[in-house]
Amino acid sequence: MGRSLRFVVVIILVAVLLRPGPSAKAAMGIPFGADLIAPGSNRWDDVERGLFRRMRGNIARFRIPVGFGGSPSQVEELIDDGARTVILTTEDCDFTPDRTRADLVGRGFYSVVERHPEVQFFIEVSNETNICGMDPYRARFWMLETREELRDLDRPNFGWMASMPTVLRDAEIILSRQDDGAVGDVYDAIAVHHYGDYNVWPLEDHYEWVDVTNLVLTQTSLPLYVTEIGINDPATPKPEKARRILEAVAQMPDRIRGVMVFAITEPQDNRWPQYTVDGAMADVFASRPDAPEDGSRAPLPEPRHAPSSGPPPVQRAPRRTGARP
């Protein structure tokens, strides 16, 4: 073997050995946290907030419609507990400009965005629109209209996230390019959900979650956030589910920028017992290599003062063709 050939072989072997594997991605710090769906309960401090801190989350999904009972002060508490990305989610199928502004601005959540430039916020528009029976053409229309009408709320630390339905046909319509443009042109990120009977990456192909995710990856260049992830099988122990979810996160494409477990909720909420996070799951999540050092094992921090500089600004998309100035 000649000297030049040996040199090439050595270079290839070094490249293979240094190539990051699944665990390397986890160590690089993809934001990981939970979807909190019952902040209005009287167990917020010791259950919902306590579990978020115990799992050492650094990204949180928080429902802002009044029916969920959450408050802006609770979002600030999650920030105090380590959340550095916060997804504020609209009503499932009522996200007109007026309703979205009323929930976001009228209820005081936008003031939290203004007070915390060090935190990256997104407004996640819609939630599984096909399940609540919304026509996908109507969903697409209101996604575009609400984005356009609320451009006055744009800030460097505030982005717009379009949430995908659970079926491919509806997602294709919502992301389609038509005479009025495309959702992918004016939104900053896309939200998808990942559920499986036993595993959540690779996604089990008898569900359409995999088709919807692949559609987003191929039809847009936007970052993805998994705003719900869960394993359905009731016989699988909760700690094992947590381990499988962490293994899945380590294998996900680089375009996926954050993952939230479904769900942290009040103890009396028995709608989805196979998914809800308990203490055993939270402890497994806290053991991930990129978990923040603070959280469940540290006292509650003093409220943080906003620093002079925040996260990198969201890259804004241009206005859609024919939009009002």
Side-chain angles (χ1 to χ4, degrees):
M1 182 183 295
R3 180 179 299 178
S4 60
L5 183 57
R6 286 198 300 270
F7 178 76
V8 171
V9 170
V10 169
I11 293 297
I12 292 173
L13 287 172
V14 170
V16 169
L17 291 171
L18 294 180
R19 182 178 57 191
S23 61
K25 182 179 179 184
M28 287 189 288
I30 180 173
F32 185 83
D35 178 8
L36 297 102
I37 61 173
S41 77
N42 58 7
R43 301 292 302 277
W44 166 258
D45 285 320
D46 64 325
V47 177
E48 289 105 321
R49 186 185 182 192
L51 283 170
F52 183 80
R53 295 179 66 236
R54 185 168 173 176
M55 72 182 290
R56 300 186 179 190
N58 53 12
I59 184 170
R61 186 191 197 207
F62 196 93
R63 316 300 180 95
I64 62 174
V66 65
F68 286 91
S71 68
S73 65
Q74 291 172 319
V75 174
E76 293 199 280
E77 289 172 342
L78 293 174
I79 294 170
D80 286 340
D81 294 343
R84 286 298 169 266
T85 304
V86 176
I87 314 296
L88 302 172
T89 305
T90 68
E91 187 64 72
D92 292 1
C93 287
D94 184 0
F95 44 89
T96 63
D98 289 346
R99 175 62 192 271
T100 302
R101 187 183 293 274
D103 286 336
L104 180 61
V105 180
R107 301 199 63 233
F109 290 100
Y110 190 72
S111 295
V112 180
V113 177
E114 295 176 309
R115 287 194 296 271
H116 289 275
E118 80 279 15
V119 175
Q120 179 62 63
F121 292 87
F122 287 94
I123 179 74
E124 181 188 8
V125 178
S126 84
N127 179 64
E128 299 183 345
T129 49
N130 58 297
I131 291 181
C132 58
M134 192 174 198
D135 180 85
Y137 290 100
R138 184 174 178 83
R140 179 185 179 279
F141 171 81
W142 284 119
M143 283 184 181
L144 290 171
E145 192 72 10
T146 296
R147 176 69 186 96
E148 188 63 36
E149 290 291 331
L150 273 60
R151 277 189 178 271
D152 60 295
L153 302 180
D154 286 357
R155 293 176 56 85
N157 68 323
F158 182 72
W160 287 80
M161 183 181 293
S163 192
M164 291 296 99
T166 72
V167 294
L168 179 62
R169 175 187 173 275
D170 285 22
E172 288 174 334
I173 292 169
I174 288 172
L175 292 178
S176 65
R177 179 171 300 280
Q178 301 180 25
D179 292 342
D180 57 354
V183 166
D185 291 343
V186 295
Y187 275 73
D188 305 300
I190 301 290
V192 295
H193 296 168
H194 286 176
Y195 287 97
D197 293 333
Y198 304 100
N199 297 288
V200 281
W201 196 272
L203 288 162
E204 297 167 356
D205 58 12
H206 54 281
Y207 290 110
E208 292 190 59
W209 309 107
V210 61
D211 300 319
V212 173
T213 299
N214 287 337
L215 175 74
V216 176
L217 289 170
T218 57
Q219 299 262 330
T220 80
S221 59
L222 297 176
L224 280 73
Y225 287 78
V226 181
T227 54
E228 294 183 20
I229 192 169
I231 293 175
N232 178 57
D233 178 43
T236 301
K238 291 288 184 78
E240 177 61 23
K241 289 184 178 183
R243 283 188 285 271
R244 291 182 192 176
I245 288 172
L246 290 181
E247 290 171 359
V249 171
Q251 301 176 62
M252 289 179 180
D254 291 340
R255 290 262 304 279
I256 294 179
R257 305 293 176 80
V259 177
M260 284 135 280
V261 180
F262 183 87
I264 291 179
T265 187
E266 61 182 337
Q268 293 77 26
D269 188 349
N270 295 315
R271 290 174 291 176
W272 309 283
Q274 72 272 37
Y275 297 123
T276 52
V277 176
D278 60 11
M281 290 185 79
D283 289 341
V284 174
F285 292 142
S287 69
R288 68 193 189 278
D290 61 314
E293 287 300 321
D294 58 359
S296 64
R297 293 171 175 78
L300 286 174
E302 295 296 323
R304 297 178 174 85
H305 297 289
S308 56
S309 62
V314 171
Q315 297 298 309
R316 294 291 170 201
R319 291 179 181 272
R320 58 192 172 99
T321 304
R324 293 187 292 277

